């Protein structure tokens, strides 16, 4: 489609941009997902409880920055789980427990690097603070300070003449944000307590670019925002689950894990027990016979599918040599099915067929991604979930540029394509 043919009056990304802006941390993303599910009648179930009553048909569990949600068409033993998985976390700078430092009149914040950030992308941005604090009684409170509080200032070119040949940033020394000057700040904890009007006992807080998500391009075909990896997939799955109508016997399940960017090994990560436990409780809630739970669940898992959704690398026009040209996705041409024979992606021929058939039935275009043999590829929750549950799994994702930058870029149409593919997977016709 040429520039002049494209319809630039309709913006399909408005609701996704609202989701991105409402989700500055994994905790906010989980809360926003729960809010959207509850708006259509989904019932919150405690992490240690079995769903009862209406929650058997439509319910969700939120634990910290993770969500498991389900929609079930009917009572009776589950025959198959149709699972869509994604992750709520994004690489970034997280505040240390004792962040205060002062150097030559500059007040600095101590940070730990979370995941595989692009170091340079955090330079010279106006940064706010978001995450959660826990009070003395152990209650969690979301924190979202969306105004310029801090900045990681880049060294001037005059003081590093070689910077444009090779920018070297030491993650310990060079990524410390400045956030105040002068002699009299009382420290971050006191400042925060005043700002949020409660005394934090502990916190899990990160810095974020205060710039909201925007539509970009002369033809308004692109979307720029922080955290596109992987909130795009979280949005697509949530929006599809809201209107899911699974077949009798099938249970539509969405799992949004935290900690994917740091290896998934945590209580709320894909390597933890969260999904398996919730599936067991959903199965038990559908059965009268407690003794039949594990056999019923094992049988259902053997027939199940997991679609692991995480963004893919779109072909970069300035770095064509980094891509395997027959398997390099384009933006706005549909989700990519990600294949890696060494099982960095879990895709099998059977799982890929199930996903692409769902795409075809919904008129969703799809593409294929593989990496070059001389370029190691990332991983996803797909192989981890497949290994834990023994479920046939396909890795898919929206193509994007600038992955793991503080500000990423994707097409405005691909998230909608992904949502429609999930809708087809979770539909009874
Ligand atoms: Zn990701």
């Amino acid at each position: 489609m040429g520039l002049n043919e494209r319809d630039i009056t309709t913006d399909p990304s408005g609701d996704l941009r609202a989701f991105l802006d409402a989700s500055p941390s994994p905790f906010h993303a989980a809360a926003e997902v729960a809010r959207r599910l509850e708006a259509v009648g989904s019932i919150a179930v405690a992490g240690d409880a079995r769903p009862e009553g209406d929650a058997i048909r439509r319910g969700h569990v939120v634990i910290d920055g993770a969500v498991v949600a389900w929609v079930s068409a009917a009572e009776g033993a589950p025959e198959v789980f149709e699972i869509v998985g994604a992750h709520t976390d994004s690489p970034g700078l997280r505040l240390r427990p004792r962040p205060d430092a002062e150097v030559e009149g500059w007040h600095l914040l101590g940070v730990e690097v979370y995941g595989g950030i692009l170091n340079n992308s955090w330079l010279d941005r106006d940064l706010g603070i978001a995450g959660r604090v826990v009070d003395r009684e152990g209650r969690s409170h979301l924190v979202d300070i969306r105004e310029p509080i801090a900045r990681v200032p880049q060294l001037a070119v005059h003081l590093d003449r070689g910077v444009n040949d090779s920018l070297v940033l030491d993650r310990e020394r060079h990524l410390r944000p400045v956030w105040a000057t002068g002699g009299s700040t009382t420290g971050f904890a006191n400042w925060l307590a005043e700002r949020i009007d409660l005394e934090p006992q502990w916190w899990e807080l990160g810095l974020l670019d205060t710039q909201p998500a925007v539509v970009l391009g002369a033809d308004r075909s692109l979307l720029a925002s922080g955290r596109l990896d992987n909130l795009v997939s979280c949005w697509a799955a949530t929006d599809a689950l809201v209107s899911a109508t699974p077949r009798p016997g099938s249970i539509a399940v969405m799992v949004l894990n935290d900690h994917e960017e740091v290896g998934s090994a945590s209580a709320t990560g894909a390597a933890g027990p969260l999904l398996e436990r919730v599936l067991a409780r959903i199965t038990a809630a559908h059965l009268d016979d407690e003794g039949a739970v594990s056999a019923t669940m094992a049988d259902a898992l053997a027939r199940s599918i997991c679609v692991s959704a995480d963004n893919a690398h779109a072909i970069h026009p300035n770095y064509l040599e980094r891509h395997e040209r027959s398997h390099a996705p384009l933006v706005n041409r549909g989700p990519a099915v990600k294949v890696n024979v060494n099982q960095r992606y879990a895709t099998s021929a059977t799982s890929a067929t199930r996903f692409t058939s769902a795409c075809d039935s919904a008129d969703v275009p799809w593409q294929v991604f593989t990496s070059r043999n001389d370029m190691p590829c990332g991983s996803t929750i797909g192989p981890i979930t497949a290994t834990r549950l023994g479920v046939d799994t396909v890795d898919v994702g929206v193509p994007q540029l600038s992955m793991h930058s503080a500000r990423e870029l994707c097409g405005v149409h691909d998230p909608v394509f992904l949502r429609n593919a999930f809708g087809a997977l979770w539909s009874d016709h």
Side-chain angles (χ1 to χ4, degrees), residues 45-348:
V45 175
D48 59 355
R50 180 182 297 185
E52 289 175 356
D54 291 343
I56 298 172
R57 292 290 186 88
R58 191 178 266 280
H60 59 279
V61 171
V62 173
I63 298 178
D64 299 338
V67 183
V68 184
W70 59 90
V71 177
S72 169
E75 277 140 34
E79 290 163 17
V80 62
F81 300 107
E82 291 176 315
I83 303 166
V84 171
H87 66 88
T88 57
D89 61 319
S90 302
L93 301 175
R94 301 283 176 92
L95 285 181
R96 287 196 152 122
R98 292 175 176 163
D100 294 302
E102 191 184 343
V103 177
E104 300 290 352
W106 290 102
H107 294 268
L108 303 165
L109 291 172
V111 292
E112 265 191 301
V113 175
Y114 178 84
I117 63 167
L118 271 175
N119 296 345
N120 61 295
S121 73
W122 286 87
L123 301 175
D124 296 346
R125 287 182 189 274
D126 304 332
L127 303 173
I129 293 165
R132 70 166 175 179
V133 300
V134 173
D135 64 24
R136 279 179 199 285
E137 283 73 46
R139 288 188 298 258
S140 287
H141 305 265
L142 294 177
V143 173
D144 181 1
I145 301 172
R146 203 75 64 90
E147 62 188 77
I149 300 296
R151 174 181 170 118
V152 184
Q154 184 158 207
L155 186 64
V157 67
H158 316 80
L159 304 182
D160 183 2
R161 290 290 181 190
V163 65
N164 290 322
D165 300 319
S166 63
L167 171 64
V168 178
L169 292 168
D170 180 295
R171 289 187 177 208
E172 180 59 33
R173 291 185 298 143
H174 298 150
L175 294 181
R176 290 190 298 174
V178 300
W179 76 296
T181 59
S184 61
T185 73
T186 54
F188 180 77
N190 289 327
W191 175 84
L192 181 65
E194 206 164 291
R195 275 303 299 258
I196 63 177
D197 204 22
L198 69 96
E199 206 154 305
Q201 187 74 358
W202 283 92
W203 57 64
E204 289 167 86
L205 295 170
L207 297 164
L208 80 151
D209 188 354
T210 48
Q211 211 182 338
V214 298
V215 174
L216 187 146
D219 58 356
R220 299 179 58 76
S221 65
L222 296 167
L223 171 63
S225 173
R227 308 175 303 285
L228 291 177
D229 171 13
N230 189 20
L231 293 180
V232 163
S233 305
C234 295
W235 172 82
T238 302
D239 206 52
L241 194 68
V242 158
S243 46
T245 53
R247 297 182 305 278
S250 163
I251 300 183
V253 178
M254 175 178 79
V255 56
L256 307 179
N257 288 112
D258 198 355
H259 301 137
E260 190 276 340
E261 298 292 358
V262 293
S264 293
S266 77
T268 50
L274 176 64
L275 176 59
E276 193 172 359
R277 283 184 185 166
V278 175
L279 291 180
R281 292 200 188 102
I282 297 170
T283 304
H286 280 80
L287 295 174
D288 301 325
D289 177 7
E290 187 76 24
V293 171
S294 64
T296 303
M297 190 169 139
D299 292 351
L301 285 172
R303 292 185 283 260
S304 294
I305 174 96
C306 175
V307 180
S308 157
D310 204 345
N311 291 359
H313 297 293
I315 191 160
H316 195 305
N318 300 345
Y319 298 87
L320 296 178
E321 72 285 359
R322 303 294 169 117
H323 302 271
E324 205 297 294
R325 297 289 291 278
S326 301
H327 304 88
L330 308 171
V331 293
N332 286 327
R333 304 285 173 88
V337 176
K338 301 192 262 184
V339 175
N340 181 269
V341 293
N342 297 302
Q343 301 302 305
R344 302 285 289 169
Y345 303 130
T347 305
S348 70

